[in-house]
Structure formats: structure tokens, C-alpha cells
Amino acid sequence: MIIYGSHGKIVIPDYWKASSATLYDNTGHATSLQVTQNSEFIFEIQHFNQLWSQHQLTSPVMTPTLTCHTVAIIEDLYRQWTTSI
């Protein structure tokens, strides 16, 4: 994944298992970033397992309303990106 900003960009080579990234400023100077954390969506999986074991169909954390709102934001961004190319 690459996140572009007005002062440079952040390159995350393996987004789904991210433990490192590189920050590039507008001059091309690179700064390596390292993170040590649980990855691979462990918290989401644990949350799902908890809901499943309690026979819950919806999450109190990620409600259907919040899910729809988030998807609408991503869809709007996608449309902006694809129409500006």
C-alpha cells in the first residue's frame, strides 16, 4: 500500500502483515519505520470468535450502521481516485 500526502509518501510493502514501512519525503529521502505488534487481524479474529461463541449475529463494536458508513467513505474515495486519473 502507498499513502500519498502533500509532504511525501509512506510505502507499506506487505499491508496485511505490516511490520515495516518506508517514509519518503518530497526530496526522496527515505526513513525506515519498524513496528512490533500483533498482526494479521488478530484482534478482529478474537472478537469474531467471542461473538460466535456467544451466538451473537452482530458486533457491538462494528455495528451495521458503522460498517455501512465506512464502506460509503471507501466507495467515495475510490470514485474520486478513479475519476481523477
Side-chain angles (χ1 to χ4, degrees), residues 51 55-59:
L51 294 172
H55 305 288
Q56 293 182 331
L57 297 177
T58 58
S59 168

Side-chain angles (χ1 to χ4, degrees), residues 48-58:
F48 172 81
N49 287 336
Q50 178 187 10
L51 294 172
W52 183 262
S53 70
Q54 295 172 353
H55 305 288
Q56 293 182 331
L57 297 177
T58 58

Side-chain angles (χ1 to χ4, degrees), residues 1-69:
M1 175 164 83
I2 301 174
I3 303 169
Y4 294 93
S6 57
H7 298 286
K9 64 183 178 182
I10 300 171
V11 178
I12 305 170
D14 194 2
Y15 175 74
W16 298 110
K17 299 178 183 180
S19 60
S20 65
T22 305
L23 172 65
Y24 296 91
D25 66 18
N26 283 336
T27 68
H29 177 261
T31 302
S32 179
L33 307 170
Q34 300 293 322
V35 178
T36 54
Q37 66 180 5
N38 288 331
S39 188
E40 301 202 41
F41 299 100
I42 188 134
F43 302 109
E44 290 85 347
I45 293 168
Q46 289 172 343
H47 181 61
F48 172 81
N49 287 336
Q50 178 187 10
L51 294 172
W52 183 262
S53 70
Q54 295 172 353
H55 305 288
Q56 293 182 331
L57 297 177
T58 58
S59 168
V61 176
M62 193 64 178
T63 64
T65 301
L66 184 56
T67 299
C68 290
H69 179 70

